[in-house]
Amino acid sequence: MTIDDPTVKLPMSAFEVLAVSKLSPLYVAHLEGAFTLLDRLHETDPAAFAAAAPRIRAIAASGESKVPASLIERLPALELISVMGVGYDGVDVAAAKARKVMVTHTPDVLNDDVADLAIGLMLCAARQLPAADRYVREGRWAQQGPMPLQRKMSGARLGIVGMGRIGQAIATRATAFGMQIAYTARSAKPALPYRYLPDAAALAAEVDFLVVITPGGAGTRKLIDARVLQALGSKGILVNVARGSVVDEAALIDALEKGVIAGAGLDVFEDEPNVPERLRALPHVVLAPHIGSATAATRQAMADLAFGNLREHFAGRSLMTPVPECRT
Ligand code: NAP
């Protein structure tokens, strides 16, 4: 069934959309208002899912959802996978494309929030703000006197791994902190006023803070490994706001325990929401529960855009934000 079929004149509420994992209530509200939403039916009721599968025309997903080829294959009427999130490493885009199924995501609307969080984690790790808060609450300021001195961030050297939309928003903010900025990416960006280094290890060797903001997936798996951490060195601070898969977590824990690097600020982990006990035990690590885009305003903008792609598609208009692999 395609949008050229007469059936497209049905009200959109007749179209069945599979929510493939637990979605933001903001996205769900849009979906329930417009379509027949099958919320995780493939997990909760396999028999009902088998009956509905031939009618399902779209998948609604989050940035963390898994949409494997095996699921795509079971949905012969599938036309669109709309991800609420900029990262879509859980979607088998090649399998979708082979079936002429389009994939959309929500770039740009979350740049500010993720960049804000990266700067926040840098400041928290350098100035030990969570520990400072505990110091006051636990009465240690009165008992023990001033806290130990911490690291200065303004004017320090920053390396950004991934100089895309969010990487550039981080660089803009870091400029206001007087930081010296260098980066690595798959290709140099001559139009940007920052120094390019060919790989993460070369970059790490030259900076005080290393911020990781690439996509996840096979191309970046364990890009930040023991060698990169060694290059960052005993005064270096690692911040990961990309995906847990981009950092070798075992190597990171090892490096933190042994003082190979000074500290870390982490928003993402290998096996979310499970964070290893050894990592949680380290005092010089600041941890956040994957909150890069988690403000009310940004999540609403992401839900609006994820829904907008579905609405435009079923109205026969152009998609707003197809992923690069699906752009013609
Ligand atoms: P983007 O505009 O596509 O930028 C990605 C950057 O990563 C590009 O500069 C790209 O290089 C670089 N890159 C890709 N593969 C690389 C590799 N193997 N080695 C080095 N650099 C590589 O994406 P974005 O919008 O900035 O988002 C980046 C990622 O942030 C998302 O994919 C998502 O995983 C993550 N994210 C996390 C949160 C959170 O909540 N923590 C929220 C939003 C996004 P080129 O420019 O040379 O292609």
Side-chain angles (χ1 to χ4, degrees), residues 2-250:
T2 72
I3 55 169
D4 300 325
D5 290 341
T7 50
V8 85
K9 294 190 176 65
L10 289 168
M12 286 207 295
S13 58
F15 297 168
E16 294 180 41
V17 174
L18 176 69
V20 80
S21 58
K22 186 170 169 51
L23 299 178
S24 157
L26 301 168
Y27 194 11
V28 168
H30 275 314
L31 295 166
E32 284 180 340
F35 303 111
T36 298
L37 183 63
L38 309 175
D39 192 1
R40 289 164 282 173
L41 193 64
H42 60 312
E43 291 173 358
T44 57
D45 191 341
F49 174 66
R55 302 189 304 268
I56 292 173
R57 298 180 63 170
I59 284 176
S62 76
E64 286 77 50
S65 298
K66 301 272 176 276
V67 186
S70 56
L71 179 60
I72 293 169
E73 280 162 15
R74 294 192 64 189
L75 305 175
L78 188 65
E79 296 167 28
L80 179 64
I81 300 167
S82 176
V83 178
M84 181 180 149
V86 66
Y88 52 95
D89 40 292
V91 178
D92 191 330
V93 179
K97 276 189 77 178
R99 279 270 320 280
K100 297 195 174 13
V101 172
M102 298 294 278
V103 182
T104 59
H105 64 154
T106 61
D108 287 315
V109 293
L110 40 60
N111 294 353
D112 284 342
D113 275 355
V114 185
D116 290 353
L117 186 76
I119 297 288
L121 287 173
M122 286 164 65
L123 274 171
C124 282
R127 301 293 299 271
Q128 288 292 297
L129 296 181
D133 177 86
R134 289 194 296 275
Y135 201 75
V136 176
R137 283 176 203 280
E138 292 165 6
R140 285 189 283 150
W141 187 18
Q143 289 159 12
Q144 299 170 19
M147 259 182 85
L149 301 181
Q150 304 297 337
R151 283 281 296 286
K152 178 170 178 172
M153 186 173 112
S154 284
R157 299 169 303 166
L158 168 63
I160 302 178
V161 182
M163 191 47 89
R165 291 170 290 250
I166 302 171
Q168 290 177 44
I170 295 169
T172 303
R173 284 156 177 73
T175 302
F177 284 82
M179 300 188 87
Q180 303 155 53
I181 300 163
Y183 70 99
T184 191
R186 286 175 300 195
S187 60
K189 329 271 167 224
L192 296 179
Y194 317 118
R195 191 154 73 98
Y196 175 75
L197 284 142
D199 60 60
L203 180 65
E206 303 229 0
V207 298
D208 305 301
F209 292 81
L210 190 70
V211 174
V212 188
I213 186 63
T214 63
T220 55
R221 194 168 305 285
K222 296 190 180 10
L223 184 68
I224 308 302
D225 58 10
R227 197 171 68 92
V228 174
L229 297 169
Q230 190 76 47
L232 184 57
S234 59
K235 294 201 168 112
I237 290 175
L238 178 80
V239 168
N240 186 9
V241 285
R243 284 281 186 267
S245 61
V246 185
V247 173
D248 182 337
E249 200 165 88

